Amino acid sequence: MDVVISGGTDQSFSKSFEKPETNSIIRTTFLDSIGAHEIYSSEQWRAALTETVATTFFIFTLITSIVSCFESLVSEPKLLVPFVVFIICFVFILTIIPLSGAILNPLVTFIAALKGAVTLVRACVYFLGQCIGSIMGYLLIKCVMSHDAVVKYMLVAFDKKRCKELGVTTVCVLLSASLSIAVYVSIVVTGEPGYAGAGLNPARCLGPALIRGGQFWTGAMDIVVTIGNDESFSQPFEKIERKSLKSTFLDSIGAHEIFSSEMWRAALAETVATTFFLFTLTTCLLSCYESNVTDPKLLVPFAVFIVAFFFLFTMFPLTGAFLNPLLTFIATLKGAICLVRAFVFFMGQCLASIMAIYLLKCAMSHDAVEKYMLGGCTINDNGSGISLGTALMLEFVCTFIILLVAVTVVFDKKRSKELGATVVCIQIAASLAMAVYVSSVVTGKIGYAGAGLNPARCFASALLFGGPLWHGQWVFWLGPFLACIVYYIFSKTLPKEGLVNDGKYEIIKVARACIEATGSNKYKSATVKAEEKPPCIPETVEKDVLALYPFY
């Protein structure tokens, strides 16, 4: 722009280039304000995928549990709803909040966008993902729920300083409690039988409307890389001190642990713990069904939670408290234990399951053994149960829920250390209790006892009792192990950075960028005047005045 023409500076020539430069700056500011750069961010898409998957299983678990409450035989089932909502919300929010913010709801996404916790671009992607997740959640419900139940129910935090003071756990408790209170109040305040309470989630209301249609559309509108040298890639090509292939393979599978006394001590502890864990758990479950309460199924999740928590809390620092071939398998996929230890643990857990069921057979009366089939995993008892396909889907879904809300926390060292062993054990026990309860009541079939969630236990009962327990035995192996593989692949897409609310993308700042992008002369002149510094006004006074007008 310093080119001199005809012995001077051509100001008209230079000014013609100032406007495009200004417009370019304004356009860049606007794109930054809406977070357009996140379109090319892999972290944003990882978080969106996490939101979609979490929303799917959150909707499935929440709705099936609420329907199960209303299907219970207690005199006032509405009293159960807030407790169920609180537990499910707390478990899911505690798991997902460090990954994607645990928004799980278009309404929360909207207010997060207004507060600047998420950019407009991320908010739009989250919104679409949550709607898709809601639809998929209802499709799962429709597939596993009985036709009569489907017809009957028709498929029915932004202060950073305060959040840091309270801690993640307390924030999750507040969110869960507020949602449970809102749900409970809305379902009892009207007293009208045709009203199921406030939706509180437009995407959840959209799901059944798309699937069932009809009266659901009435009033539907009212609901309302880091770039650098990849050392991990270059190291395998180094020729200095390269180990032999045989030595490398043996190290990768943990062959050295065969000669480790600690590994065999852990395997023995795992076998003994699994034996008495399954014995205690099964006897408690059968005792619940033998109780004289109005609806014994309501006791099941509490029994599962208490037994699982105490065993997990005791064994967690000793062996990792796997107690289940599924957890051993996913731990192997995640690299938490080597293949050799996994194989020994797996064999020990299968042996422990057989011993536990044998102890149960010796302790139970003959009539109880025949009635409950040693607590075995049944699918189709004389044609009264569910189909193999439905059972396979339930095994997959319930196992994935446990992996999503429990294993995600367990294998995150930083999160586990922040929460502590007690909260981690509560998380695992609560997810197991939740899956057992949902699967045992959602189908409404007498011949189906719920998801097995432990192939070794199902195999042991079939081995010692035989008969109908062998029918569909493969389902209790394929479904859970398939869920582990899918979860492992999904875990590779989890966001590495959590949702950070720095207020940079607050809606007011976006509005300011929009006004600048429109090229408003009035606004520009006001901005220019604000940027000018009259010498007669002290700098301190100027700052105080400008603080009253943040736009300028």
Side-chain angles (χ1 to χ4, degrees):
M1 303 312 299
D2 296 328
V3 177
V4 179
I5 301 176
S6 301
T9 304
D10 190 351
Q11 296 180 356
S12 62
F13 178 77
S14 61
K15 287 181 179 180
S16 63
F17 287 90
E18 292 179 359
K19 188 174 182 180
E21 184 179 354
T22 304
N23 292 337
S24 176
I25 294 174
I26 294 175
R27 184 178 63 182
T28 303
T29 304
F30 172 73
L31 293 177
D32 287 343
S33 67
I34 65 173
H37 62 279
E38 287 200 323
I39 297 177
Y40 307 101
S41 171
S42 61
E43 283 299 308
Q44 189 254 352
W45 294 106
R46 287 170 180 262
L49 179 60
T50 302
E51 274 290 310
T52 303
V53 174
T55 302
T56 299
F57 291 98
F58 173 69
I59 291 292
F60 173 84
T61 309
L62 186 64
I63 301 304
T64 50
S65 298
I66 292 176
V67 171
S68 301
C69 290
F70 285 107
E71 281 292 294
S72 63
L73 301 177
V74 297
S75 57
E76 191 61 50
K78 292 180 180 179
L79 296 176
L80 300 174
V81 174
F83 298 100
V84 170
V85 173
F86 172 80
I87 293 172
I88 294 174
C89 290
F90 174 75
V91 171
F92 270 89
I93 292 173
L94 185 63
T95 302
I96 306 300
I97 197 170
L99 301 177
S100 63
I103 300 180
L104 305 176
N105 190 328
L107 294 180
V108 184
T109 302
F110 180 65
I111 190 62
L114 292 179
K115 294 288 290 183
V118 296
T119 64
L120 285 180
V121 170
R122 181 178 289 236
C124 292
V125 176
Y126 273 21
F127 184 89
L128 292 175
Q130 289 157 358
C131 290
I132 295 173
S134 175
I135 295 172
M136 291 192 297
Y138 274 97
L139 284 175
L140 290 176
I141 294 174
K142 187 177 182 181
C143 291
V144 300
M145 188 178 287
S146 63
H147 178 71
D148 294 339
V150 170
V151 175
K152 180 178 180 181
Y153 294 101
M154 294 181 291
L155 295 181
V156 229
F158 301 106
D159 188 338
K160 292 187 293 183
K161 182 179 178 181
R162 186 62 176 155
C163 289
K164 188 175 181 180
E165 292 174 352
L166 295 176
V168 175
T169 304
T170 306
V171 172
C172 293
V173 170
L174 292 175
L175 291 173
S176 304
S178 61
L179 183 58
S180 62
I181 293 172
V183 171
Y184 177 67
V185 169
S186 65
I187 62 177
V188 298
V189 69
T190 63
E192 297 293 336
Y195 179 61
L200 302 176
N201 188 338
R204 182 184 68 81
C205 301
L206 176 65
L210 288 176
I211 295 173
R212 290 286 299 175
Q215 57 187 331
F216 282 105
W217 288 109
T218 303
M221 296 306 296
D222 298 332
I223 313 287
V224 180
V225 178
T226 304
I227 301 175
N229 294 327
D230 191 350
E231 297 179 356
S232 62
F233 179 78
S234 61
Q235 286 177 355
F237 292 91
E238 296 177 358
K239 295 183 179 180
I240 302 175
E241 298 182 359
R242 171 181 285 184
K243 295 182 178 180
S244 65
L245 293 177
K246 181 179 178 181
S247 176
T248 304
F249 172 73
L250 292 177
D251 287 343
S252 66
I253 65 174
H256 61 280
E257 287 208 329
I258 296 177
F259 308 101
S260 171
S261 60
E262 284 300 311
M263 192 273 289
W264 293 105
R265 288 171 181 264
L268 178 60
E270 188 74 15
T271 303
V272 173
T274 303
T275 300
F276 291 99
F277 170 67
L278 290 179
F279 175 82
T280 308
L281 184 63
T282 307
T283 50
C284 287
L285 291 178
L286 297 183
S287 300
C288 290
Y289 286 109
E290 282 292 298
S291 63
N292 295 323
V293 297
T294 307
D295 196 345
K297 288 182 179 179
L298 295 177
L299 300 176
V300 170
F302 297 100
V304 173
F305 174 80
I306 293 173
V307 173
F309 172 75
F310 282 113
F311 272 89
L312 289 169
F313 189 74
T314 303
M315 300 306 300
F316 193 76
L318 301 177
T319 66
F322 296 101
L323 307 176
N324 191 328
L326 293 179
L327 296 181
T328 302
F329 181 63
I330 190 62
T332 308
L333 293 179
K334 297 285 287 184
I337 57 176
C338 63
L339 284 175
V340 170
R341 181 180 288 244
F343 177 77
V344 176
F345 275 21
F346 184 88
M347 297 303 295
Q349 289 159 352
C350 290
L351 178 62
S353 299
I354 297 174
M355 291 191 296
I357 300 302
Y358 180 75
L359 289 175
L360 188 65
K361 185 177 181 180
C362 295
M364 290 176 64
S365 64
H366 178 71
D367 294 338
V369 170
E370 293 293 329
K371 181 179 180 180
Y372 294 105
M373 301 181 188
L374 287 177
C377 307
T378 59
I379 292 181
N380 194 346
D381 185 19
N382 297 324
S384 59
I386 64 177
S387 64
L388 292 177
T390 304
L392 180 63
M393 181 178 294
L394 271 176
E395 288 291 331
F396 175 86
V397 171
C398 292
T399 303
F400 195 91
I401 289 174
I402 295 175
L403 297 175
L404 178 64
V405 301
V407 174
T408 302
V409 175
V410 171
F411 290 117
D412 188 336
K413 293 182 180 180
K414 183 179 179 181
R415 288 282 295 150
S416 297
K417 189 176 181 179
E418 290 175 353
L419 297 175
T422 304
V423 177
V424 171
C425 292
I426 290 176
Q427 186 85 347
I428 300 173
S431 62
L432 180 61
M434 188 168 57
V436 170
Y437 177 68
V438 167
S439 63
S440 61
V441 299
V442 68
T443 62
K445 298 292 183 180
I446 300 176
Y448 181 64
L453 304 175
N454 189 335
R457 181 181 67 84
C458 300
F459 173 75
S461 299
L463 188 66
L464 295 178
F465 187 84
L469 294 184
W470 285 113
H471 177 72
Q473 181 67 207
W474 60 271
V475 169
F476 300 104
W477 291 85
L478 178 61
F481 280 103
L482 183 61
C484 288
I485 295 173
V486 173
Y487 170 78
Y488 172 72
I489 298 173
F490 168 71
S491 66
K492 293 299 181 181
T493 67
L494 291 176
K496 298 178 182 178
E497 300 177 359
L499 187 64
V500 179
N501 177 16
D502 56 3
K504 179 180 179 181
Y505 303 102
E506 192 170 354
I507 196 66
I508 295 179
K509 297 180 180 179
V510 177
R512 174 182 177 179
C514 291
I515 295 174
E516 290 179 349
T518 57
S520 174
N521 294 328
K522 181 179 179 180
Y523 180 81
K524 285 181 179 178
S525 60
T527 305
V528 171
K529 291 179 181 179
E531 291 177 351
E532 294 176 354
K533 295 183 178 181
C536 59
I537 300 178
E539 185 177 356
T540 55
V541 177
E542 180 191 14
K543 289 183 178 180
D544 294 337
V545 172
L546 293 179
L548 300 175
Y549 301 94
F551 280 108
Y552 303 148

